[in-house]
Structures are given as structure tokens and as C-alpha cells.
Amino acid sequence: MAAKKACESLSKSLIGEVHKWGCMKQTGVSLRYMMEFGSRPTERNLLLSAQFLHKELAIRIARRAVELERLPYGLSEKPAVLTVRDWYLDSFRDVRSFPEIKDANDEKEFTQVIKAVKVRHNNVVPMMALGVQQLKKGMDPNIVCEDLDEIHQFLDRFYMSRIGIRMLIGQHVELHNPNPPPHCVGYIHTKMSPLVVAQNASEDARAICLREYGSAPNVTIYGDPNFTFPYVPAHLHLMVFELVKNSLRAVQECFMDSDKVAPPIKIIIADGIEDVTIKVSDEGGGIPRSGLPKIFTYLYSTARNPLDEHSNLGTADAVTMAGYGYGLPISRLYARYFGGDLQIISMEGD
């Protein structure tokens, strides 16, 4: 009985602490700042970075944990969402219980703690997708997805914050790499070739298509092979992979029963004065105009949802051609994270 009371007391004090930190203002960190600061990964800089993260991660994690308790339509009570909330509470406890970081040894120990936090949150996206699916199952079928604006806005904030948390942790951890690849500052490649990233992402997407359909349309890429700019290759890879994967599936299914050869997917990379634009186009039939508002929501997919109550979340990273409807909205968040955007222009029938 005493143990139960102690546990309840600890839980209440933790929740109180989470709410206190969840009210604090978080600090934005630009790509330029991360690149300049990380270009000199001295012991002092790593110490300063860890001290900043000690406070900043607690704020960001607490803000999300608080929001997870206040979701509309009973989403907060769904088993999968409760699991995600527990992950955030555990991570908040791990970060806050770590003592003040005073020297290099503290910094190294703290780096191991935040590495574990990042791993703990690996399956947040499929688990939240499962929570939304659990919500949809019990909802009035007359409620249309577009009416659930609060949930869409929450998930946008939630996943954008997750991108930021993982970027901050990953950048700090990677600065410990004694042999970084050429031109790399943590996660950032100072001379990233969008053409090379697009080639790799397209090859990965075609491999998935070949596995599922037995064949895959070609992908043709146009752009200057010598053009580079500073960016996070993993982010661009994810965006191009998702777009090409969608295009491959659309073309493959459009031409599956046709005698015609499936037309290639085209990727055009344009380097302007202010922006880098990457255009992915296909002849997969387009999306009906009525469907366009739905493609950036988290409650819509043109394909069967492979994630269900019985799926093994330990293998949730297995990629399929048609995921759980999150590829496009999350890719748009990655584009927006450093000030870009992702837009879809559809010509139905093309």
C-alpha cells in the first residue's frame, strides 16, 4: 500500500514538473547556426551544446507530453496514444533527472542518455498512426476527415516538434564522430548534391516497387551534377523517396493491365537564386480534384493501411509502397522545417 502511494506521489510530482516545463518557451535553432557552431566540435562547444540540450529537450518533450493529454475526440485515451505519452514522460524524466552538466565526462554520459531517448522514440510515427486508426474505428462514419481540423493541426505540430528534437539530438551525437565524412558537420552536408540524393532515393523507391510488383518504371533525373548546397541529406532523401514511391505506385497501377510501356518518372532539379526546386512528375492518372484537400491530412490514404492492431511494432520500419497515409504530410513538414515547402499539382487523367 505504501509503495502504491509512493508511486502515485512520484507520478503526480512528475506530471506537475512536466506541466511547469511545458509552459516554458522553446528556442529555435537555424541550419546556419548548427552548421557554424558544429564546424568546431571542441570539448568546450560539446559541453555548451549538452548544457543547452539539457534544458531545451526538457521543454520540447514536456510541451508535447502536455498536448498528448488534451487531444479532442477522446484521442488521448486510445491505447497507442497512451503508449506514446508514456514514452515522452519517460524521456522527460531521463533528461530532467540528469544532474547539471559541468565537464566532459558529464557531457559524454548525457550524450548516451539522449541517444537512448532518440531510440525510444523511433516508432512514434507508426504508433500515433495506430492511435488515429483506433479513433477512426470508433467514430461516427458521418464525420468527415476535413472536419477533424484540431487533430490535423495537433499532428502537424507534434511531428514538426519530433523532427526538431531528433535533429537536435542527432546533430549533437554526430559531432562526436571522430571521422566525419568530407564536408559533413554533424547531420548537415555543407556540399550536398541534390542530384546524388535524388538518385539514391529513386533507387531505393524502385527497389520497393520491384519487390511488390515485380517491375518498376524508370526514373529520369535532370539537373546539374556539379550543383551543391548545404542541407541535411537524410531529410531530402526521405522527401524524394516518398514522392517517387507515390509516383511509381500510381504509374505501375495505371499501366498494370496495359500493353504500353509504363512512362518514366521525371525529376527536375532547378537551382535558382533564392530557392532550390525539385519537381517530381509522373503520368499515373493524377488525383481527382475532390481528393486534393485530403492528401495532406493524417486520416486519408489512397491505399490499404498496412498497420493494424496486430502489427509487430518492432518491425514497423519495414517499408511498403503504400504506407499509412503519412508519407506526404510528413514529407511536407521536413520541407518546411528549414523554411521550404512541398506542393502537389494534379492533372487528373494525366
Side-chain angles (χ1 to χ4, degrees):
M1 193 68 179
K4 186 180 177 187
K5 278 187 178 173
C7 185
E8 284 175 0
S9 168
L10 176 70
S11 179
K12 278 184 182 173
S13 69
L14 176 68
I15 297 298
E17 188 83 348
V18 166
H19 281 261
K20 184 181 96 174
W21 281 78
C23 294
M24 296 182 191
K25 191 170 170 30
Q26 65 183 58
T27 306
V29 185
S30 69
L31 181 73
R32 182 188 293 276
Y33 181 80
M34 276 193 265
M35 203 161 68
E36 289 174 355
F37 183 87
S39 65
R40 301 177 302 281
T42 59
E43 193 173 285
R44 173 173 162 71
N45 274 0
L46 288 171
L47 183 62
L48 288 170
S49 173
Q51 289 167 342
F52 168 73
L53 291 180
H54 193 204
K55 181 181 178 185
E56 186 62 23
L57 290 176
I59 294 171
R60 293 187 182 213
I61 291 167
R63 287 168 74 100
R64 300 288 74 83
V66 169
E67 216 172 5
L68 282 165
E69 293 177 349
R70 300 173 177 172
L71 303 180
Y73 303 103
L75 183 57
S76 292
E77 304 307 315
K78 298 302 172 193
V81 177
L82 289 170
T83 298
V84 173
R85 189 205 64 182
D86 287 346
W87 289 342
Y88 274 76
L89 291 177
D90 288 345
S91 295
F92 177 81
R93 186 194 293 114
D94 289 352
V95 172
R96 283 294 300 134
S97 63
F98 197 90
E100 187 183 349
I101 301 165
K102 295 178 179 175
D103 55 35
N105 285 334
D106 292 346
E107 185 273 323
K108 285 186 176 67
E109 281 182 40
F110 181 70
T111 299
Q112 294 308 310
V113 168
I114 60 175
K115 268 174 88 171
V117 166
K118 189 166 180 277
V119 170
R120 176 185 290 135
H121 291 243
N122 277 350
N123 280 323
V124 160
V125 175
M127 190 60 96
M128 282 301 292
L130 185 54
V132 170
Q133 190 180 27
Q134 289 165 347
L135 176 71
K136 281 172 72 178
K137 277 183 182 174
M139 278 188 105
D140 181 341
N142 294 321
I143 296 177
V144 291
C145 293
E146 293 93 305
D147 291 341
L148 304 177
D149 275 348
E150 283 177 90
I151 289 178
H152 299 317
Q153 288 166 16
F154 157 72
L155 288 169
D156 266 348
R157 285 193 306 273
F158 184 76
Y159 290 127
M160 184 67 98
S161 170
R162 180 176 184 269
I163 291 168
I165 288 169
R166 294 180 79 76
M167 181 71 202
L168 289 175
I169 295 175
Q171 181 70 4
H172 179 83
V173 169
E174 193 56 32
L175 289 176
H176 280 272
N177 185 348
N179 301 302
H183 311 297
C184 283
V185 177
Y187 269 8
I188 303 160
H189 196 304
T190 60
K191 294 186 176 181
M192 184 196 74
S193 163
L195 191 94
V196 170
V197 174
Q199 284 171 339
N200 292 337
S202 299
E203 285 167 17
D204 288 350
R206 285 191 79 247
I208 304 290
C209 189
L210 280 165
R211 189 185 74 199
E212 294 214 3
Y213 293 103
S215 63
N218 289 322
V219 178
T220 310
I221 304 174
Y222 304 91
D224 179 358
N226 297 314
F227 169 64
T228 65
F229 70 105
Y231 203 68
V232 181
H235 288 192
L236 183 61
H237 186 284
L238 180 142
M239 290 183 268
V240 176
F241 172 79
E242 283 295 340
L243 290 170
V244 172
K245 181 162 69 77
N246 280 359
S247 289
L248 289 169
R249 178 166 67 90
V251 170
Q252 192 68 27
E253 294 187 355
C254 188
F255 286 83
M256 198 179 280
D257 301 319
S258 170
D259 294 332
K260 296 178 183 175
V261 175
I265 315 299
K266 293 178 185 170
I267 301 177
I268 299 171
I269 299 164
D271 49 308
I273 295 169
E274 292 186 1
D275 294 315
V276 178
T277 305
I278 299 174
K279 176 184 171 186
V280 178
S281 61
D282 64 67
E283 295 173 46
I287 299 165
R289 189 167 57 168
S290 61
L292 278 174
K294 301 175 187 171
I295 62 172
F296 285 117
T297 77
Y298 297 94
L299 297 158
Y300 171 82
S301 175
T302 54
R304 179 182 61 81
N305 188 337
L307 193 69
D308 61 31
E309 308 276 345
H310 312 293
S311 63
N312 175 7
L313 281 160
T315 58
D317 289 335
V319 181
T320 57
M321 283 302 284
Y324 29 84
Y326 278 32
L328 286 177
I330 284 190
S331 293
R332 183 167 69 170
L333 294 181
Y334 272 98
R336 288 178 171 175
Y337 183 70
F338 285 122
D341 205 358
L342 189 156
Q343 298 170 348
I344 302 290
I345 299 166
S346 178
M347 296 170 65
E348 190 179 6
D350 183 17

